[in-house]
Amino acid sequence: MHRFPGVPTDAALVAALQQRRPGAAALLFERYGSYVERLVVRVIGLDAEVPDMINEVFARAFERLDQVNDPAALKGWLGSIAIFTTRGFIRDRRSRRRFLGFFSPDDLPDVPAITTPAEVSQALARTYQLLGSLPAEERIAFALRFMDGMGLAEVAEMMGVSIGTVKRRLARAQARFSNAAKRDPILKEHFSKDERWEAL
C-alpha cells in the first residue's frame, strides 16, 4: 500500500482523496475506521450488520468528497455520515446495503468481542431492545449522549440540528426509556443505580 510521507493533516488527506491518490482511501479508513465503528455500535449495538454499515459509511463518504466544506473537520463530517447511515438502518432494517468497492467486507475490522459478566451483557442487550422501540431521531440522540458520552453541542453537530432540538429529543427519549426500564425485570435494578440517564 502506498504510504504518504510523514503524517498528513486531515486537510491534506482530503485533497489526496479528491485527487484519487493511491493509498489515500486506505489511510482514511486506517485513521477513522475505529471512530466510525464506535459510533455505529453505540447507536445500534453489536448487530451482525455493523461491518456492512461501516463499509456503507466509507462508500458514501468517498462518493461525497466534493461536499467537504471544511477539510480540517473531516472527522466530524465522517461522523455525520455515520449517523445518517445508522438513521436509515434503524428506519428500515431491510433496506438493501450497497457495496461500492470502497473496501471488501474482509478488509473491515472485526467487531471486538466484549467479555463482560453475563448480567451486564444481558442488561446491555435489553437496553438496545428497549432503544429499538424509540423513534430513530430519539434513539440516536439518546445513544450519542448517554451511551457514548458526547456533549450536547457535539450531538447537535452530528445530527445536524440545534442544541434545543437535541434537548427535546433527549427529554422524550429519556422519558420513554425510563418508563420502560423501571418496569423491566432485567433493567430496573441497574436503572435505579445509574443516574447518568437523568442528566441532560
Side-chain angles (χ1 to χ4, degrees):
M1 181 179 70
H2 175 82
R3 290 286 180 180
F4 291 90
V7 180
T9 64
D10 279 354
L13 178 55
V14 169
L17 287 163
Q18 291 173 337
Q19 297 163 12
R20 300 296 193 266
R21 285 183 57 187
L27 181 57
L28 176 68
F29 186 80
E30 180 182 309
R31 183 170 293 183
Y32 290 118
S34 60
Y35 167 68
V36 168
E37 179 183 0
R38 190 194 85 202
L39 291 179
V40 171
V41 171
R42 286 291 190 270
V43 174
I44 71 168
L46 291 174
D47 193 281
E49 292 198 51
V50 165
D52 291 7
M53 294 181 65
I54 296 171
N55 193 70
E56 178 75 4
V57 170
F58 281 94
R60 290 181 177 184
F62 197 64
E63 284 184 324
R64 302 172 187 180
L65 288 170
D66 59 337
Q67 300 176 13
V68 181
N69 296 321
D70 181 5
L74 176 61
K75 181 178 180 180
W77 181 75
L78 272 175
S80 296
I81 293 177
I83 297 307
F84 178 84
T85 303
T86 58
R87 181 187 293 120
F89 173 82
I90 292 168
R91 288 177 173 171
D92 185 6
R93 287 186 62 102
R94 295 182 179 180
S95 61
R96 184 170 64 88
R97 296 278 165 235
R98 298 177 300 119
F99 287 96
L100 302 180
F102 187 73
F103 289 103
S104 74
D106 293 338
D107 293 330
L108 295 168
D110 294 330
V111 176
I114 299 177
T115 55
T116 56
E119 64 274 12
V120 175
S121 297
Q122 190 177 34
L124 185 61
R126 188 66 184 133
T127 294
Y128 277 102
Q129 287 177 2
L130 293 185
L131 290 179
S133 67
L134 299 181
E137 304 292 354
E138 294 178 15
R139 174 177 178 169
I140 292 170
F142 187 98
L144 295 181
R145 174 64 170 151
F146 295 123
M147 304 190 78
D148 195 64
M150 286 188 184
L152 290 172
E154 190 175 3
V155 175
E157 181 181 3
M158 287 287 172
M159 300 189 72
V161 298
S162 68
I163 291 179
T165 297
V166 168
K167 286 183 176 180
R168 288 190 292 274
R169 289 176 181 174
L170 285 172
R172 290 193 298 267
Q174 181 212 10
R176 295 176 195 265
F177 183 87
S178 298
N179 289 335
K182 288 174 180 176
R183 296 192 304 268
D184 188 272
I186 295 174
L187 289 181
K188 61 182 181 181
E189 181 178 354
H190 293 275
F191 183 83
S192 64
K193 294 178 180 179
D194 194 344
E195 298 179 353
R196 67 176 177 167
W197 310 121
E198 303 295 336
L200 295 181

